[in-house]
Amino acid sequence: MNVVELDGVFRYGSTSNSREHARNVRPMISSIEIQGYRGFDRFEMSGLGRVTLLVGTNNSGKTSVLEALYLLASRGDPFALWQVLWRRGERTTSERDPRRQQPELDLHHLFKGHEFQAATKFTISARNQVPEQTVTFAISEMSAKDRAELFGPIENGTIASRLVLQIKGNPPPLVSVLPLSRLGGISADALETPPRRMRRRAAVAAAQFITQESLTGDELAALWDRISLTPDEELVLRALQFLDRDIERVAAQTSQAMYYGSLNRGGFIAKVKGFEHPIPIGSLGDGMWRMLAMAIAITQCKGGFLLIDEIDTGLHYTVMADMWKLIYNAAKEFDVQVFATTHSNDCVYSLAPVCPSNADENNVTVQRIEAGKFRAVPYSEIEIKIAAEKGLELR
């Protein structure tokens, strides 16, 4: 049996038990459609589960799918847009004063073809939501008068762009329009007006996005404050014990994380059996920090999404099955839908043990994304098990 023969043999279904469960929790999204975002002219992915693992070759669009889900779940929040562009280095220097090197987000790369003009847009939609969830980012023209009324006067010596970024969707986005510079960028000032800061603080964190670099010390410290001295601490400890059974306790040192800045891995310590003094988590390896980030993040997106790029980064193949068990059980407990990417066969095969014996429940799926194809190839739980048993290639 080869992969072609495996693909499409087994079909997803539903049972009365899964329908009963659906009445008690938020309906998961069953499919996503992306139009005009980055390398996708049009792309669809269906048959999504509680845990969905994205596979495919380099530059096939796996990370772009995670970004699209993040923008959708964040309701077009400009802060999420900033994070997506900043981590890719998609920014330019403000034209107002090149000597100050004020960065602007460069929006061109969000759109198919890396260029935009008036009426250029991309849309992200998710089905099996009540109601259906969608967000559209569109470039539009605005008169100088309307722009001045909405955003205030332009600084002396600066020529305003006629173009703005409009954000529409269902539910309504947190911010509906943002000004663009003549370079096609968005400045930090445009994102940090007081009304927008207040809206962002009031918004529910519907998604946590963990990049290949993981979360930083100050990001994790902020999340830790919400679970400190709660039962959720136990989940984090169990996650770290998968990597080192001698870890007895974990704690945050928020002041250290904030002091050293946003690029560090400081601020967390662990009490390890056999050592008198606590050890910084950063000293215990990349995998330990990765596991810490995933365990903390999944507790903070209840009813939403956990998005993890290259989930197996820093982790040895021998701990991946335990990792998946933790992620899968926590996802059910906190009603989180998990989307992750990988290039590793070990990571794919390690999913098999968490696939429920009843394959009709559709809780776990692998989706293969192929460059130039408008639809992902889904693999069901029983197909994942067969692939793991026979060493079949799903990537």
Side-chain angles (χ1 to χ4, degrees):
M1 179 181 293
N2 56 36
V3 174
V4 175
E5 293 171 340
L6 180 68
D7 178 32
V9 173
F10 303 99
R11 298 300 180 187
Y12 295 112
S14 61
T15 66
S16 58
N17 288 337
S18 63
R19 287 194 295 268
E20 179 65 26
H21 180 69
R23 287 193 287 269
N24 298 326
V25 299
R26 170 194 58 85
M28 296 186 297
I29 66 169
S30 61
S31 65
I32 182 174
E33 181 177 354
I34 303 172
Q35 295 182 338
Y37 182 70
R38 294 201 183 273
F40 296 123
D41 188 17
R42 178 189 169 206
F43 177 75
E44 297 178 1
M45 191 167 63
S46 59
L48 307 179
R50 171 70 64 188
V51 173
T52 298
L53 181 61
L54 310 181
V55 298
T57 61
N58 291 331
N59 204 33
S60 60
K62 300 186 298 297
T63 301
S64 295
V65 172
L66 295 187
E67 291 176 349
L69 286 162
Y70 186 49
L71 294 176
L72 179 69
S74 302
R75 294 172 55 191
D77 184 357
F79 184 68
L81 188 66
W82 181 276
Q83 289 180 305
V84 165
L85 291 167
W86 189 267
R87 66 171 292 271
R88 285 187 182 254
E90 293 169 340
R91 47 190 181 263
T92 186
T93 302
S94 170
E95 64 179 340
R96 289 181 298 175
D97 188 354
R99 293 171 298 177
R100 294 178 61 187
Q101 295 293 304
Q102 293 178 327
E104 289 184 350
L105 300 180
D106 186 354
L107 297 188
H108 291 88
H109 310 291
L110 292 175
F111 299 90
K112 176 70 174 177
H114 301 270
E115 293 293 339
F116 64 71
Q117 56 188 350
T120 301
K121 66 179 182 179
F122 67 82
T123 299
I124 306 157
S125 304
R127 296 185 177 84
N128 204 33
Q129 293 278 359
V130 184
E132 180 178 328
Q133 191 171 354
T134 183
V135 65
T136 296
F137 291 76
I139 304 298
S140 302
E141 286 193 85
M142 180 176 288
S143 69
K145 178 181 178 182
D146 290 342
R147 180 179 173 122
E149 290 179 355
L150 189 59
F151 304 117
I154 303 298
E155 291 187 10
N156 292 335
T158 300
I159 302 176
S161 171
R162 295 176 302 166
L163 299 180
V164 295
L165 178 67
Q166 283 197 326
I167 309 172
K168 300 179 180 179
N170 183 34
L174 299 176
V175 175
S176 59
V177 61
L178 290 167
L180 299 187
S181 71
R182 288 198 306 154
L183 299 176
I186 294 180
S187 69
D189 294 340
L191 305 181
E192 290 301 324
T193 57
R196 292 194 178 102
R197 284 200 299 269
M198 292 175 62
R199 285 183 180 181
R200 192 166 69 236
R201 291 193 192 104
V204 176
Q208 295 290 337
F209 191 173
I210 301 178
T211 68
Q212 293 184 52
E213 296 78 22
S214 293
L215 299 178
T216 61
D218 49 357
E219 288 171 330
L220 278 182
L223 295 177
W224 180 265
D225 286 344
R226 303 174 191 173
I227 69 172
S228 179
L229 303 180
T230 73
D232 293 342
E233 278 194 19
E234 180 62 26
L235 173 69
V236 177
L237 180 59
R238 292 202 313 269
L240 300 185
Q241 287 174 339
F242 288 145
L243 303 182
D244 188 341
R245 296 184 182 277
D246 289 334
I247 293 179
E248 298 175 336
R249 291 183 58 192
V250 61
Q253 295 180 310
T254 306
S255 59
Q256 288 190 19
M258 297 301 291
Y259 177 79
Y260 285 108
S262 62
L263 297 180
N264 79 94
R265 291 190 175 184
F268 283 84
I269 55 176
K271 179 66 178 70
V272 182
K273 184 178 179 180
F275 292 87
E276 180 180 357
H277 301 290
I279 298 175
I281 292 289
S283 297
L284 300 178
D286 291 344
M288 194 69 73
W289 189 266
R290 187 72 165 174
M291 193 71 84
L292 176 72
M294 291 190 290
I296 293 177
I298 200 168
T299 68
Q300 296 305 303
C301 45
K302 296 182 174 86
F305 304 96
L306 176 61
L307 311 166
I308 312 169
D309 202 10
E310 300 296 340
I311 189 171
D312 53 302
T313 298
L315 299 176
H316 194 262
Y317 75 94
T318 55
V319 302
M320 287 184 193
D322 286 333
M323 175 203 71
W324 279 125
K325 290 176 184 177
L326 176 86
I327 294 291
Y328 178 72
N329 291 328
K332 291 194 297 182
E333 178 181 352
F334 295 107
D335 187 24
V336 175
Q337 197 165 4
V338 178
F339 292 85
T341 70
T342 188
H343 287 103
S344 166
N345 255 337
D346 290 324
C347 189
V348 175
Y349 297 156
S350 297
L351 261 179
V354 304
C355 291
S357 57
N358 185 349
D360 289 336
E361 290 185 0
N362 189 27
N363 282 323
V364 178
T365 178
V366 170
Q367 301 272 339
R368 190 176 74 239
I369 301 176
E370 300 176 356
K373 301 292 182 65
F374 73 91
R375 183 176 290 115
V377 178
Y379 295 95
S380 67
E381 292 161 347
I382 195 167
E383 291 172 317
I384 296 170
K385 289 183 175 182
I386 292 174
E389 291 172 1
K390 298 182 178 296
L392 300 177
E393 177 63 76
L394 300 186
R395 300 169 302 163

